[in-house]
Amino acid sequence: LMELLPQWLAAANAHGYAAPPQMVPALLDAARGRTDLRPAALAFAGPLALWLARLNPDWRFALRATPGGGSAAPGPDETERVRRLWDEGLFAERVALLTSLRARDPGAARALLTSTWSTERAEDRLMFLDSLRTGLEPADEPFLEQALTDRSRNVRATAAELLSALQESALAARMAARAATCVSLDRASDPPVITVEAPHECDAAMERDGVAPHPPSGRGERAWWLGQLVEAAPLGTWPARLGGRTPEEIVALPVADDWHADLQAAWCRAAVRQRDAAWARALLGPPTAPEAGGPGAVSLAERAKLLGTLRAVERAEWVAGFIATHGLSEAFQLLGMCAVPWAPPLGRAVVDALNIARDAGSYPWSFSGVMGLAERCLDPSEAGRLDGLLAIPDEPEDASPGAGGYWAEAFQRLVTTLRLRAAMTEELEAV
């Protein structure tokens, strides 16, 4: 039931409900142990949670999560309160203030941060800089360019990453120029071949722009530098550089001298950083591709990140096609990227794959992670389709002993949870 609490809180807040006073202590206890619950739990609990948090040290997280230490967040016109909280607040309060201000007025948040930047501790500068990801805009470029000279290496790296996400920034242009000198098209070959000449050194200007000079253990220096340049270069660089080709045509080109994996892995990271759906589609390839990998998706983690750039409907359709072709053995990480409740095609693909695994006599424990996701994410309307799976099936000769009974029990739990979720939603919508 605790696994369903995030959904219940989201639905209750969406309908404008408030927590009964006697339930607020239990709600605070639950949120204390699970940071993912805190925003929704505090919204549902309301001002009483903040009042109680002042009386119980175990619930102080509620005060830290609210700009002003438990009072209402400063409004858009309360410049004096904002200034006082920024100058005098605890670090967590200042982070919360900067984040909330950034969401409604990016320029005001940037001005606030700039006013004390030189006096902040390095670890605090890094956290504050990270807040600029919300509402990142071209007007942030001068501040981020200045941060490229920060005395903290982590701050410099974060500033460079943010600047590369601004595809019209001067840093993005510098990275594009460097990357373009490394990657070209040999038109004399048939078909044409991408050739790579990786950097031979990492100079001071590259370091200033965020290129880490020292590779991790086991990685070659030149490949390491090349990957960083290509990752930070705007993806719009490549069609013009490689003969006016589309992303699909580019990723399908052969790459000379074993640079294929390095180049396309860097394009994967660039597509995720720049939120470029066209490149993500090209790199993912069709879900029916052999070994379920696109040309550049070298790992499930990379595929999951690429899926995150697509619209929810398209993401669900791609994962459904993946499961229909390859089954569930590698799908858990991909399913975690899909919106809840799962779209009908995805839900059907998951149920069908579970049914196939059951008929094959596999143990359901191998699919416990997917089963747990299905309980939380499958559309409750799918419960009726599962009724036929509740009986203990006939076991094939090569089946694991007792697997049929375990499958029936697992499907019974799934159906029970889906019906509970349906009842939960109906109750909240009834008033």
Side-chain angles (χ1 to χ4, degrees), residues 106-128:
R110 183 177 58 250
L112 191 66
L113 181 56
T114 303
S115 68
T116 59
W117 180 257
S118 61
T119 63
E120 304 288 355
R121 299 182 305 165
E123 56 267 34
D124 294 354
R125 291 198 305 277
L126 182 61
M127 289 290 292
F128 292 145

Side-chain angles (χ1 to χ4, degrees), residues 328-341:
L328 290 168
S329 60
E330 293 188 332
F332 181 80
Q333 199 166 6
L334 304 178
L335 285 168
M337 298 299 299
C338 296
V340 178

Side-chain angles (χ1 to χ4, degrees), residues 31 33 73 97 184 191-192 212 216 245 251 276 327 330 349 353 374 382 391 393 400 407 427:
L97 172 65
S184 58
R245 288 170 170 80
V251 300
D276 192 310
E330 293 188 332
E382 294 287 325
S400 302
W407 274 109
E427 286 182 358

Side-chain angles (χ1 to χ4, degrees), residues 344-367:
L346 178 57
R348 287 193 293 270
V350 171
V351 172
D352 290 345
L354 287 171
N355 193 17
I356 290 169
R358 182 192 72 146
D359 290 344
S362 304
Y363 267 128
W365 303 324
S366 303
F367 304 92

Side-chain angles (χ1 to χ4, degrees), residues 135-178:
L136 186 66
E137 59 183 7
D140 294 324
E141 184 177 358
F143 173 73
L144 293 171
E145 275 282 347
Q146 184 182 12
L148 288 176
T149 61
D150 195 272
R151 54 189 179 274
S152 164
R153 180 175 59 84
N154 290 334
V155 171
R156 295 195 302 271
T158 301
E161 180 189 343
L162 292 171
L163 280 167
S164 69
L166 290 171
Q167 297 182 44
E168 303 300 322
S169 69
L171 180 138
R174 295 193 295 270
M175 289 300 203
R178 292 179 181 121

Side-chain angles (χ1 to χ4, degrees), residues 287-299:
T288 55
E291 299 181 2
V298 295
S299 68

Side-chain angles (χ1 to χ4, degrees), residues 31 48 60 64 75 86 135 140 146-147 302 307 331 366 405 408 414 424:
L48 180 57
R60 289 291 169 86
R64 292 194 298 270
W86 181 250
D140 294 324
Q146 184 182 12
E302 208 131 41
L307 283 170
S366 303
L414 175 57
M424 178 179 84

Side-chain angles (χ1 to χ4, degrees), residues 275-301:
R275 311 298 299 171
D276 192 310
W279 272 86
R281 291 186 196 101
L283 291 159
L284 277 166
T288 55
E291 299 181 2
V298 295
S299 68
L300 279 173

